[in-house]
Amino acid sequence: MLIEDSLLTRNLGMAITATDNFLAVHPHQIDTDRLFAIKTDYRLMTDYWRRGFKDPQLSELYNTLLKRMYVLYANIANAYSIRHTPLLSTLSYQAHASARDWSPQNIKDALEAFVSEVAMLDLEPAHTAAPKRQELYARHHRLMVDLFDYIIIGGIWTDGFAAAMERILLSPTVDSSDQQLLVTAVTLSAVNIFDIAKFRLLVHLYQHATDENVRQRALVGWTLVLDPGIGSSIYEEEKVLVDKLVEDEACCRELVELQKQLIYCIEAERDNATIQNEIMPDLMKQHGLRISRSGIDEEGDDDLNDILHPDEEEANLERLEASFHRMVDMQRQGSDIYFGGFSQMKRFPFFNEVVNWFMPFDINHPDLASVAQKFGKSKFLKLMLQSVPFCNSDKYSFALAFDQVASRIPPDYIKMIESGEAVVEEMAAQEKDTPLYIRRMYLQDLYRFFRIYKDREAFRNVFDQEEADYVFLAKDTFSKTHVEVCFNEVTAFMLKKKRRAEAGLMLENYGENRQDFHYYMMSAYLERSPKENYAKALALQPDSERALSGYARILFKEAAYEKALEAYDKLLERQPEKKSYLLNKAVCLTNMSRYDEAERLLFRLNYELEDDENVNRVLAWALTCDGKYEQAERLYHQLLSVEKPAADDLLNYGYCLWFGGHIDEAADCFHRYMMESNASKEWIFGGEERLMREKGITEVEQQMMLYIL
């Protein structure tokens, strides 16, 4: 939008004109009046300036008008989104239809009243408290739905309203679940349209909340709503707040952990594919199960197999254990191993309401009334919800599904659980209370919402892989701050997870003072000016074998064989017997027409590693280049005798035959090469023009070879 672009470039005059044009097409009296007030103040300021007066407050006044203009733009954009987005229109209608007074004092009174009423119910006898409890939770749930919706569609907050909400969200007299839910509402609202008041609120909650659940939701919130563009052009406070935060080493540590966890979220579907395609089939195989059209069947015992392979059962058990531990290890490292299963269980009407995706799990939720009534005392359900690391939305999925399938669970199994004969190992409370675990569960709720929710398009997707806003440490706000000392750790993690695009974004955010050896090595690995970056890495650590090896490899690819040879000689001084260095040196020598030296080296390797295909391959090519075609042919016969020979061996053997005068046999090799590699005719001669000239192959002969192919 032209208005936003003007604001980002701090062009207030252009922003006023663009807004004027927009309101001419989409008139709204309140917006028009506010724009007129801004225009009037801006005109007075410019008139004063044009008369030659030097106002020491000019910059401050301009910034104030710029902020007023942004607030107007943001509210206009919010109203436009509500009118043109079905979900937001519905939420807006519901919030206004409730006709509630959303003043901070009324919000505080209502939330505190709920806590008091719950406490009073605990004093009543169970038979009278149960119906009252159900009615109380239903009424409170409706309140929270309306308040949640109101915050999402409420537009830009004033500083006073934000400060009052901050006091509510830090108050010990308000229920933690309500506070957590409201933090998410603030986040979703600010995700769509940046609001400095909401951003400040989230930062303050992260700094001052004593409830770790509230604190971690606030941390996730402010990192995802961060907007360096608006922050640098309009609200310098954003940068000031972040700079202050990252002076704390503990905050830097949490930011690093959060950034890694966001990458694990993005990996959820890839991890699910690993589980479905690799781990689960192996688990089922070891259990003697097979998948058929009718479902999962158990295969019968094979007595003959027990006789012929008496040790196989033990080996299968070991493989079963290894597969199970592989999945457990994935979960412990941070992988979302339950995404695939629970993504299919979000079709309950329960998940039509946005608020329910982020509601901390509570068996008293009105939509679980049936479950609570039937299974409220079920030890089985309680243990499953407490012991297995499900995020909140998955717990609701499980409880709702349990209501439907409980009758099909074998009674004997439930009886064993209820009686304690079968024990479901419960997670330690200490582990569930850690910031890392709390944050992981919340992020999984967020990811499911943005990935699965039917009306998710109403919100800016913070997990969109093209925009990559989830790589928050790559935003300008964190450049040249204390957290930069952790950039190498984060970037290396991304490379380990094969997230090359995200790692590239991180590297772009390094300040010049942080461009160390690891920075240059990772940049080179991502093929960002690799030769230059390897050279810079070597300048910092001349003894680094990794840097020298990478530098040599790039020189080799660029056909700078003399310099590459020098590098490989240095590498061989450190590791004289490393095969890859020796082979690359031999290829360099061959390409420099120093055939005798290359062959001496290769014959020694061939003697020591007689059946090594790579050694034979390089030796065969060196002999071909040196005109020793009969010796080369013997090696090519050996290389091509395997069931599926390498395509390059067919190409090189074709050259050997051609140089030796065996035209038809060479053409046959070239043809087979094209079939194997899908290469075009012209590609065959693409890289060996110099060698063909040395061997006397003329341009006419090349054209004739192309013709017979």
Side-chain angles (χ1 to χ4, degrees):
M1 185 181 284
L2 183 58
I3 306 173
E4 184 178 11
D5 293 340
S6 301
L7 289 168
L8 290 174
T9 57
R10 295 179 55 80
N11 190 333
L12 179 56
M14 182 62 73
I16 290 172
T17 302
T19 308
D20 225 345
N21 294 337
F22 180 85
L23 291 177
V25 180
H26 307 278
H28 191 285
Q29 187 59 48
I30 295 176
D31 294 333
T32 303
D33 292 345
R34 289 172 179 168
L35 178 62
F36 178 77
I38 294 172
K39 285 166 64 176
T40 301
D41 290 347
Y42 185 54
R43 189 179 301 114
L44 287 172
M45 187 175 69
T46 53
D47 287 347
Y48 190 73
W49 166 72
R50 290 172 71 176
R51 291 184 203 144
F53 294 104
K54 282 289 185 181
D55 186 350
Q57 304 299 317
L58 185 65
S59 295
E60 186 177 337
L61 289 171
Y62 190 87
N63 288 334
T64 300
L65 283 176
L66 204 61
K67 291 173 184 177
R68 285 171 59 190
M69 189 67 235
Y70 173 76
V71 170
L72 176 59
Y73 152 74
N75 283 324
I76 291 173
N78 184 58
Y80 185 86
S81 295
I82 291 171
R83 288 196 299 271
H84 293 83
T85 309
L87 173 66
L88 297 182
S89 297
T90 301
L91 297 184
S92 178
Y93 172 78
Q94 292 173 350
H96 288 96
S98 68
R100 297 181 188 270
D101 178 1
W102 293 121
S103 65
Q105 188 60 50
N106 279 353
I107 294 172
K108 183 174 184 291
D109 291 344
L111 297 179
E112 289 180 340
F114 170 71
V115 174
S116 299
E117 291 179 62
V118 170
M120 294 299 292
L121 280 176
D122 290 339
L123 302 176
E124 288 196 27
H127 68 282
T128 61
K132 292 181 181 179
R133 185 181 303 277
Q134 188 171 343
E135 190 277 331
L136 172 61
Y137 274 89
R139 182 161 31 92
H140 183 68
H141 177 71
R142 190 66 255 165
L143 169 75
M144 293 308 297
V145 170
D146 291 342
L147 180 53
F148 191 91
D149 294 348
Y150 171 76
I151 292 174
I152 286 179
I153 54 88
I156 301 297
W157 283 2
T158 64
D159 290 345
F161 187 84
M165 289 300 296
E166 181 181 326
R167 289 191 290 273
I168 293 171
L169 295 176
L170 291 174
S171 172
T173 58
V174 175
D175 186 68
S176 171
S177 293
D178 293 344
Q179 292 173 329
Q180 293 173 54
L181 202 56
L182 296 181
V183 170
T184 300
V186 171
T187 299
L188 290 178
S189 175
V191 154
N192 273 2
I193 298 177
F194 180 79
D195 182 345
I196 190 64
K198 295 187 184 105
F199 179 79
R200 186 193 308 118
L201 165 66
L202 292 169
V203 169
H204 287 174
L205 291 177
Y206 171 64
Q207 290 175 307
H208 304 301
T210 55
D211 186 314
E212 198 60 48
N213 289 283
V214 173
R215 184 173 174 274
Q216 291 305 319
R217 287 202 182 202
L219 168 61
V220 173
W222 73 257
T223 53
L224 292 181
V225 307
L226 194 70
D227 191 326
I230 295 170
S232 62
S233 64
I234 301 172
Y235 292 106
E236 294 180 0
E237 182 187 359
E238 182 191 72
K239 175 69 172 170
V240 173
L241 287 168
V242 172
D243 285 350
K244 183 67 176 176
L245 284 172
V246 297
E247 288 176 3
D248 180 12
E249 187 176 339
C251 174
C252 292
R253 190 71 251 150
E254 285 198 304
L255 289 172
V256 169
E257 291 170 352
L258 171 56
Q259 185 63 84
K260 292 180 180 180
Q261 288 178 310
L262 284 164
I263 296 299
Y264 276 120
C265 285
I266 295 298
E267 291 276 284
E269 288 171 86
R270 187 187 296 180
D271 290 339
N272 180 58
T274 299
I275 292 169
Q276 295 300 318
N277 300 332
E278 299 177 23
I279 298 177
M280 290 307 297
D282 199 37
L283 284 172
M284 296 176 71
K285 179 181 178 182
Q286 306 312 326
H287 270 302
L289 303 174
R290 62 185 176 84
I291 300 176
S292 67
R293 288 187 177 183
S294 58
I296 298 176
D297 302 325
E298 187 171 358
E299 297 175 351
D301 293 336
D302 191 342
D303 295 334
L304 180 60
N305 191 62
D306 291 342
I307 296 170
L308 296 176
H309 307 286
D311 298 327
E312 187 171 355
E313 182 177 357
E314 183 177 349
N316 284 340
L317 286 173
E318 290 179 358
R319 286 193 291 270
L320 173 64
E321 186 177 1
S323 296
F324 178 75
H325 282 302
R326 182 183 176 191
M327 190 158 62
V328 171
D329 288 342
M330 286 175 65
Q331 193 273 328
R332 285 176 178 166
Q333 291 168 8
S335 296
D336 187 355
I337 66 171
Y338 298 112
F339 172 76
F342 280 106
S343 63
Q344 306 302 315
M345 297 170 63
K346 295 292 189 286
R347 297 188 178 93
F348 294 106
F350 177 88
F351 292 106
N352 289 339
E353 284 200 88
V354 178
V355 68
N356 284 334
W357 289 82
F358 307 105
M359 185 82 68
F361 183 79
D362 189 344
I363 196 65
N364 293 300
H365 191 293
D367 290 347
L368 295 187
S370 172
V371 180
Q373 187 175 4
K374 295 179 189 176
F375 310 106
K377 297 180 180 179
S378 168
K379 189 175 180 181
F380 174 81
L381 180 60
K382 182 179 179 181
L383 281 174
M384 288 301 295
L385 292 173
Q386 289 182 349
S387 62
V388 185
F390 295 155
C391 62
N392 285 304
S393 66
D394 286 357
K395 287 181 179 180
Y396 282 113
S397 295
F398 185 86
L400 291 164
F402 185 76
D403 189 19
Q404 297 183 357
V405 303
S407 61
R408 283 173 270 173
I409 299 176
D412 291 344
Y413 184 60
I414 293 182
K415 184 179 179 181
M416 289 173 65
I417 296 289
E418 300 283 2
S419 64
E421 295 177 39
V423 179
V424 179
E425 185 178 352
E426 189 170 352
M427 289 181 64
Q430 297 89 333
E431 181 182 350
K432 289 192 288 187
D433 292 338
T434 61
L436 194 71
Y437 179 82
I438 291 169
R439 202 164 49 238
R440 181 193 306 163
M441 295 300 101
Y442 179 50
L443 287 171
Q444 289 180 7
D445 282 328
L446 278 170
Y447 185 75
R448 281 152 177 67
F449 174 77
F450 282 105
R451 184 67 185 85
I452 303 170
Y453 180 52
K454 62 183 181 65
D455 291 318
R456 59 190 177 275
E457 291 83 4
F459 301 92
R460 180 176 61 83
N461 185 359
V462 296
F463 294 100
D464 183 273
Q465 296 193 42
E466 289 187 13
E467 296 295 329
D469 280 338
Y470 54 88
V471 191
F472 65 87
L473 283 179
K475 294 180 178 179
D476 293 343
T477 309
F478 292 102
S479 182
K480 301 176 184 177
T481 66
H482 285 74
V483 78
E484 265 197 336
V485 298
C486 306
F487 277 13
N488 283 340
E489 177 186 347
V490 173
T491 311
F493 171 80
M494 291 172 173
L495 290 174
K496 181 181 178 182
K497 300 297 291 183
K498 297 181 173 59
R499 308 299 305 191
R500 295 175 65 92
E502 290 88 341
L505 292 173
M506 285 297 302
L507 289 170
E508 290 174 7
N509 206 33
Y510 279 62
E512 291 183 8
N513 294 335
R514 291 293 175 188
Q515 295 179 3
D516 57 7
F517 171 80
H518 299 288
Y519 166 84
Y520 292 122
M521 287 295 291
M522 290 186 288
S523 296
Y525 176 77
L526 288 175
E527 299 180 353
R528 300 157 62 95
S529 304
K531 184 165 73 171
E532 179 183 343
N533 279 307
Y534 277 129
K536 289 180 177 179
L538 280 170
L540 292 172
Q541 291 190 23
D543 295 332
S544 170
E545 183 179 341
R546 286 194 306 121
L548 184 57
S549 175
Y551 186 58
R553 187 169 60 253
I554 295 301
L555 291 171
F556 185 90
K557 285 182 179 179
E558 293 182 350
Y561 297 118
E562 289 189 19
K563 291 183 178 179
L565 181 61
E566 291 177 13
Y568 282 117
D569 280 337
K570 290 179 182 178
L571 288 166
L572 286 166
E573 289 175 6
R574 302 173 191 187
Q575 294 203 51
E577 301 303 319
K578 188 162 183 176
K579 186 180 74 173
S580 62
Y581 296 162
L582 290 167
L583 287 177
N584 284 329
K585 177 180 178 177
V587 175
C588 287
L589 290 168
T590 300
N591 288 329
M592 294 166 64
S593 302
R594 292 164 62 175
Y595 303 125
D596 289 344
E597 296 173 66
E599 289 166 22
R600 280 198 300 273
L601 190 158
L602 290 166
F603 276 124
R604 177 173 69 82
L605 283 174
N606 179 255
Y607 176 77
E608 296 170 355
L609 305 166
E610 184 177 356
D611 296 324
D612 190 296
E613 286 189 356
N614 286 325
V615 172
N616 290 340
R617 184 170 290 118
V618 176
L619 176 56
W621 183 245
L623 292 169
T624 297
C625 293
D626 197 18
K628 300 175 180 177
Y629 305 126
E630 291 184 7
Q631 290 177 268
E633 283 186 45
R634 286 195 292 270
L635 289 171
Y636 280 122
H637 287 159
Q638 184 179 338
L639 290 167
L640 297 173
S641 64
V642 298
E643 182 178 349
K644 188 171 177 61
D648 284 348
D649 290 337
L650 289 167
L651 176 63
N652 292 340
Y653 186 35
Y655 278 119
C656 179
L657 291 167
W658 192 6
F659 298 159
H662 306 289
I663 306 300
D664 288 339
E665 292 90 334
D668 180 59
C669 273
F670 290 146
H671 183 71
R672 288 175 61 193
Y673 168 74
M674 288 189 296
M675 295 293 290
E676 290 289 333
S677 63
N678 294 319
S680 65
K681 293 181 181 181
E682 291 73 16
W683 175 255
I684 293 177
F685 310 137
E688 301 299 342
E689 292 88 347
R690 180 188 63 81
L691 183 61
M692 286 192 287
R693 285 197 301 271
E694 288 182 4
K695 300 299 181 181
I697 303 295
T698 65
E699 188 268 339
V700 171
E701 289 176 287
Q702 292 179 38
Q703 294 297 334
M704 294 170 69
M705 178 61 78
L706 289 173
Y707 174 75
I708 65 173
L709 289 178

